Amino acid sequence: MGKDPQDLPGLDPFRCSRRNFIIMGHRAVSDGSIFLNDLCGASGRWDGLARALSSGLFLSHDMRRDTSIHLLLLGPPDPPKVISIDGARVKYLNPDERASAALMRKNLRTKLGEDAGTTLRTSPGIHLTRGGLETILDRIDGPVFLLHESGEDLTDCMVNGGIGEGPWNFFLSDDMEFTDKELSLLRSRASGVLSVSPLSLHTYQAMILVHNALDRFG
Amino acid sequence: MGKDPQDLPGLDPFRCSRRNFIIMGHRAVSDGSIFLNDLCGASGRWDGLARALSSGLFLSHDMRRDTSIHLLLLGPPDPPKVISIDGARVKYLNPDERASAALMRKNLRTKLGEDAGTTLRTSPGIHLTRGGLETILDRIDGPVFLLHESGEDLTDCMVNGGIGEGPWNFFLSDDMEFTDKELSLLRSRASGVLSVSPLSLHTYQAMILVHNALDRFG
């Protein structure tokens, strides 16, 4: 680990929320060159990450203050890097894709060191961390759940005894499947593989269903 | 009624899907002047309508072919007008907000007559209809459900006997509350008032939860 997260103003971004969603952005542009007029193509599916961010943090007239979203950016030019957004502390976030991507772009303009685990607070409730899946798995607290269509139904789990008191860490992929290496790492740490629908859904749709199961039964 | 929908190529857009979502766009720009770089402000919350469209029609690698989305545009300069998008027939729709708003803008450039009920097919799976809530209520087939936080839980309804075989018509508001006049019209026709969460959610989030309840139990 690089810089000790205890040195930062505020808490460790990986340990400050009860509900954590970690989204793999396999091709997502990893610096301030996100192109707002082409989030889908040239920016490596930042449209999907922006939707995941918004779906994960927004209520109708409030934020989910118990939730953090961690977007793992694996696209060029500066991977791997995580941008973490804490629903309790973030400011200036709007629900539309363009505005939320613009806020992420602004934060990603800050230069980040090369040592795995280095974390920088770039604005209220937003942190950058150098590292990939292993770094995240080293840092998080509480059980790991892999979201996958093949998993056990989360609502059934909640009705039949629940999934503990949290904090929880839900790992989802973007529009691409998890790679074999990612799956192997995650399965070695996962407390369970969960599904939320009989159909195959977009990441942001699955996140809304996870929240709903926890809101109802958590 | 103006033009008879039977004259159109294809089906009546209000009667071709089992799942219909009708979204009130209280300030939504109602012609081809939607401003893609400011969907949220200058376009009258078209960001929310674009998210509703995408959330309602997209599966991970497919479309919901049993679903139509009807966006009721009540903002300037040419209200009231409905743009209907049929998941079974629409082409060129992408999941990101900007691209879906761009497709709607293109279709909204077609001039529409002034007679209430006039319907025009503007591209595959997309129709414009002149009229407001009363026109929609005259045209639809099957029961009307009002989505509102005060309603009965949809999952409970599904478990305890369901909500019939469909077609279903789910009415939701955008970020503004239904007006008293809208509520009065809807309540006079509604078979039920439904809720999907113990929390107050965005329109698109509620739509995903409606779909999920139907996917599980419908």
Side-chain angles (χ1 to χ4, degrees):
Chain A
M1 290 245 311
K3 197 167 177 180
D4 182 345
Q6 299 307 320
D7 286 344
L8 298 170
L11 303 173
D12 183 339
F14 293 98
R15 291 168 173 245
C16 63
S17 295
R18 188 168 177 225
R19 302 184 186 181
N20 291 278
F21 291 88
I22 302 96
I23 324 290
M24 315 293 297
H26 286 103
R27 293 158 296 181
V29 165
S30 49
D31 74 354
S33 64
I34 295 169
F35 186 41
L36 297 184
N37 286 354
D38 190 9
L39 292 175
C40 187
S43 307
R45 294 311 305 265
W46 256 100
D47 65 312
L49 296 186
R51 276 197 297 282
L53 176 56
S54 191
S55 303
L57 291 187
F58 277 97
L59 295 168
S60 181
H61 298 289
D62 202 356
M63 303 292 287
R64 288 189 178 270
R65 296 171 196 282
D66 60 349
T67 302
S68 283
I69 310 295
H70 311 277
L71 307 174
L72 174 47
L73 311 179
L74 296 170
D78 190 32
K81 188 189 283 178
V82 187
I83 184 163
S84 299
I85 306 95
D86 168 3
R89 293 170 185 83
V90 66
K91 291 181 179 170
Y92 321 120
L93 185 64
N94 285 310
D96 63 299
E97 277 174 31
R98 185 184 178 88
S100 51
L103 181 63
M104 298 302 104
R105 179 175 74 162
K106 191 176 169 196
N107 281 271
L108 284 164
R109 286 184 178 141
T110 301
K111 195 164 162 49
L112 181 66
E114 293 298 324
D115 291 344
T118 303
T119 290
L120 270 181
R121 176 183 175 281
T122 48
S123 69
I126 303 185
H127 291 80
L128 302 182
T129 298
R130 173 65 68 195
L133 199 48
E134 294 188 51
T135 300
I136 296 173
L137 289 167
D138 282 346
R139 281 281 276 281
I140 57 175
D141 185 28
V144 166
F145 294 100
L146 179 58
L147 265 286
H148 197 269
E149 297 157 48
S150 64
E152 190 179 356
D153 184 72
L154 173 57
T155 299
D156 289 349
C157 288
M158 297 303 291
V159 171
N160 299 316
I163 56 168
E165 289 302 307
W168 302 293
N169 302 283
F170 301 100
F171 285 76
L172 299 94
S173 192
D174 58 1
D175 59 303
M176 295 177 70
E177 288 282 329
F178 287 109
T179 65
D180 289 345
K181 192 179 167 196
E182 289 162 359
L183 268 185
S184 158
L185 254 175
L186 286 168
R187 284 185 192 279
S188 73
R189 279 288 308 277
S191 299
V193 183
L194 299 173
S195 73
V196 286
S197 167
L199 304 176
S200 176
L201 301 180
H202 279 266
T203 309
Y204 73 100
Q205 296 169 332
M207 291 169 65
I208 289 166
L209 297 172
V210 170
H211 269 317
N212 190 247
L214 299 177
D215 294 340
R216 285 167 174 275
F217 305 104
Chain B
M1 291 244 312
K3 198 166 177 180
D4 181 345
Q6 299 307 318
D7 286 344
L8 298 170
L11 303 174
D12 184 338
F14 293 98
R15 291 167 173 248
C16 63
S17 296
R18 188 167 177 229
R19 302 183 187 182
N20 291 279
F21 291 87
I22 301 96
I23 325 290
M24 314 293 297
H26 286 103
R27 291 158 297 181
V29 164
S30 49
D31 73 355
S33 64
I34 295 169
F35 185 42
L36 297 184
N37 286 354
D38 190 10
L39 292 175
C40 187
S43 307
R45 295 310 305 266
W46 256 100
D47 65 312
L49 296 186
R51 276 197 297 281
L53 176 55
S54 191
S55 303
L57 291 186
F58 278 97
L59 295 167
S60 181
H61 298 288
D62 202 356
M63 303 291 287
R64 289 189 177 269
R65 295 171 197 282
D66 61 349
T67 302
S68 283
I69 311 294
H70 311 277
L71 307 175
L72 174 47
L73 311 178
L74 296 170
D78 191 31
K81 188 188 284 177
V82 187
I83 184 163
S84 299
I85 305 95
D86 168 3
R89 294 170 184 84
V90 67
K91 291 181 180 169
Y92 322 120
L93 185 64
N94 286 309
D96 63 299
E97 278 173 30
R98 185 183 177 88
S100 51
L103 181 63
M104 297 304 103
R105 180 175 73 162
K106 191 176 170 197
N107 281 271
L108 285 164
R109 286 184 179 141
T110 302
K111 194 165 162 50
L112 181 66
E114 293 299 323
D115 292 343
T118 303
T119 291
L120 270 181
R121 175 183 175 280
T122 49
S123 69
I126 302 186
H127 291 80
L128 302 183
T129 297
R130 174 64 69 194
L133 199 47
E134 294 188 49
T135 301
I136 296 174
L137 288 167
D138 282 346
R139 281 282 276 282
I140 56 175
D141 186 27
V144 166
F145 294 100
L146 179 58
L147 265 287
H148 197 269
E149 297 158 47
S150 64
E152 191 179 357
D153 184 71
L154 173 56
T155 299
D156 288 349
C157 288
M158 296 303 291
V159 171
N160 300 315
I163 57 167
E165 290 303 307
W168 302 293
N169 302 283
F170 302 101
F171 286 77
L172 300 94
S173 192
D174 57 2
D175 60 304
M176 295 177 69
E177 288 283 328
F178 288 110
T179 65
D180 289 344
K181 192 179 167 193
E182 289 162 359
L183 268 186
S184 157
L185 255 174
L186 286 168
R187 284 186 191 278
S188 73
R189 280 287 309 276
S191 299
V193 183
L194 299 173
S195 73
V196 287
S197 167
L199 303 177
S200 176
L201 301 179
H202 280 266
T203 309
Y204 74 100
Q205 296 169 332
M207 291 169 66
I208 288 166
L209 296 172
V210 170
H211 269 316
N212 189 247
L214 299 177
D215 294 341
R216 285 167 173 274
F217 305 106

